[in-house]
Amino acid sequence: MIPREILKKIRQIELRTNRLVTETLGGQYHSVFKGQGMNFEEVREYQPGDEVRAIDWNVTARMNHPFVKKFVEERELTLILLVDVSGSGLFGSGEQSKRELAAEIGSVLAFSAIRNNDKVGLILFTDEIEKFIPPRKGRRHVLRVIREILFFEPKRRGTDLNVALQFLDRVTPHRAIAIVLSDFLVSGNGAEGGGVLNVNAFAHSSRAVLRQANRRHDVVAVQIADRYEYELPPIGRLVLEDAETGEVVEVNTREMGRRAAFAQQQAAAQEELERLFRSVGVDAIRLRTDQPYSASLGKFFVVREKRRSRG
């Protein structure tokens, strides 16, 4: 039996995100992700304006008259949410943790998908696959997906995106929309120890796998971030623990030079991460726990739709 507190939390997310889906993002989802696959429907006579590439030369030769193949958009898509449930996702400097924001974004996308009669699946990962829920339709299924994102307790604390993408390829034989919800934080030797955007390590290990996954699927990176991962608050000495490695460092955040160096390092790493996504053709958006996400998500959908329509 699911505890009442958990049901209440899931219901609150459903109410918040359903309104957004109904009023704004539901229709945008269809426009942004349509056309992932095309199904053959029929052969018909060539008409002025038809593309030459669509001519069926075998039928044309038999009938001694040009005929074209007609395709229709694949009506049913599959949305797979790949959610990073490593230790760093529990951080949040305000009212909402990164994992809670990931659950809301996942809810928006999942309800948009079932509104368009698409299936929704879930892969929870750390540095191993923690849980897989095969794609299905329906509200009850989406509520289960939200519950798992919010309350699943992983066995591990690290992060390995490659593991998730390679698993996606094994369990998803057909082209799917693959939404990666992660902070993309990789522990490394940054200005303040672990928990930084160690893009060099990430790029070295994941560039090829990301590129390959995006050839087979439509991969979208949704970066879930917190403001204090990019700027240190001027509140004095802090003892910080890396949620994934357990490394502990002490930082005096009253030192302006240290704060500036940290902010500069993280800004440069963020730019490098965005360049990495562009280099492999993966669309990406960054959402923060201290900022409303609806406008940013809506703008991302609009920009992506315009780019797709231009071909």
Side-chain angles (χ1 to χ4, degrees):
M1 184 142 177
I2 302 173
R4 182 175 297 176
E5 297 78 21
I6 292 179
L7 290 173
K8 181 179 178 182
K9 181 76 172 178
I10 296 169
R11 181 60 177 157
Q12 287 173 341
I13 288 180
E14 181 186 14
L15 290 173
R16 281 200 302 270
T17 57
N18 247 335
R19 181 178 178 183
L20 188 60
V21 169
T22 302
E23 295 179 355
T24 310
L25 298 180
Q28 286 182 315
Y29 165 91
H30 179 71
S31 299
V32 167
F33 294 113
K34 68 180 180 179
Q36 300 301 308
M38 303 295 287
N39 292 328
F40 172 74
E41 185 178 52
E42 63 179 0
V43 173
R44 62 166 174 77
E45 289 190 43
Y46 176 87
Q47 298 175 359
D50 286 340
E51 289 193 26
V52 174
R53 290 178 299 177
I55 293 177
D56 187 322
W57 296 106
N58 291 329
V59 176
T60 296
R62 288 200 304 269
M63 304 300 294
N64 201 28
H65 186 75
F67 279 76
V68 296
K69 293 179 181 178
K70 182 182 177 184
F71 293 86
V72 294
E73 178 189 327
E74 188 175 324
R75 290 177 173 81
E76 183 180 285
L77 307 178
T78 298
L79 173 73
I80 304 290
L81 300 174
L82 297 91
V83 183
D84 175 1
V85 290
S86 60
S88 60
L90 299 177
F91 178 67
S93 60
E95 296 181 356
Q96 193 175 44
S97 71
K98 290 186 289 183
R99 190 159 167 185
E100 288 172 330
L101 177 56
E104 284 212 23
I105 303 304
S107 176
V108 167
L109 295 169
F111 278 117
S112 296
I114 64 169
R115 180 188 174 97
N116 284 277
N117 202 36
D118 296 339
K119 295 179 180 179
V120 179
L122 176 67
I123 297 172
L124 298 179
F125 70 96
T126 52
D127 52 8
E128 65 180 33
I129 300 302
E130 297 279 352
K131 192 175 189 66
F132 171 56
I133 300 178
R136 290 182 59 189
K137 299 179 182 180
R139 173 179 172 271
R140 288 174 62 88
H141 177 70
V142 169
L143 294 180
R144 183 193 172 193
V145 165
I146 298 169
R147 185 182 78 232
E148 296 292 353
I149 297 175
L150 274 176
F151 298 107
F152 180 83
E153 296 183 5
K155 298 189 291 291
R156 311 269 296 183
R157 299 195 300 178
T159 307
D160 190 339
L161 178 59
N162 291 358
V163 169
L165 293 174
Q166 289 164 352
F167 182 80
L168 170 71
D169 267 356
R170 290 199 300 272
V171 300
T172 312
H174 304 295
R175 184 171 175 83
I177 305 162
I179 309 291
V180 182
L181 292 153
S182 174
D183 52 19
F184 299 100
L185 289 178
V186 180
S187 296
N189 297 317
E192 307 303 336
V196 298
L197 281 169
N198 190 344
V199 182
N200 288 334
F202 177 71
H204 179 74
S205 64
S206 298
R207 187 190 300 272
V209 179
L210 259 175
R211 181 181 283 112
Q212 180 180 348
N214 197 43
R215 284 174 181 158
R216 185 171 181 183
H217 305 287
D218 183 2
V219 179
V220 177
V222 180
Q223 184 184 5
I224 307 295
D226 188 274
R227 62 176 295 189
Y228 288 140
E229 291 166 341
Y230 296 88
E231 58 183 72
L232 295 172
I235 58 176
R237 291 193 175 275
L238 290 177
V239 177
L240 307 174
E241 179 181 352
D242 188 311
E244 298 190 10
T245 67
E247 179 184 359
V248 176
V249 294
E250 185 175 328
V251 183
N252 185 359
T253 62
R254 287 199 186 281
E255 297 179 10
M256 185 179 297
R258 185 179 290 272
R259 296 201 311 273
F262 179 80
Q264 185 177 7
Q265 170 191 298
Q266 295 299 82
Q270 180 65 33
E271 290 179 6
E272 185 62 28
L273 180 66
E274 291 169 4
R275 279 196 292 271
L276 168 63
F277 288 137
R278 288 195 296 270
S279 73
V280 296
V282 168
D283 287 337
I285 178 175
R286 180 175 63 159
L287 302 174
R288 284 181 24 173
T289 58
D290 62 318
Q291 297 173 347
Y293 62 82
S294 57
S296 297
L297 199 57
K299 181 180 178 181
F300 171 76
F301 277 4
V302 169
V303 171
R304 192 174 196 268
E305 182 182 358
K306 286 181 179 178
R307 187 170 64 252
R308 283 168 55 84
S309 65
R310 290 196 299 265

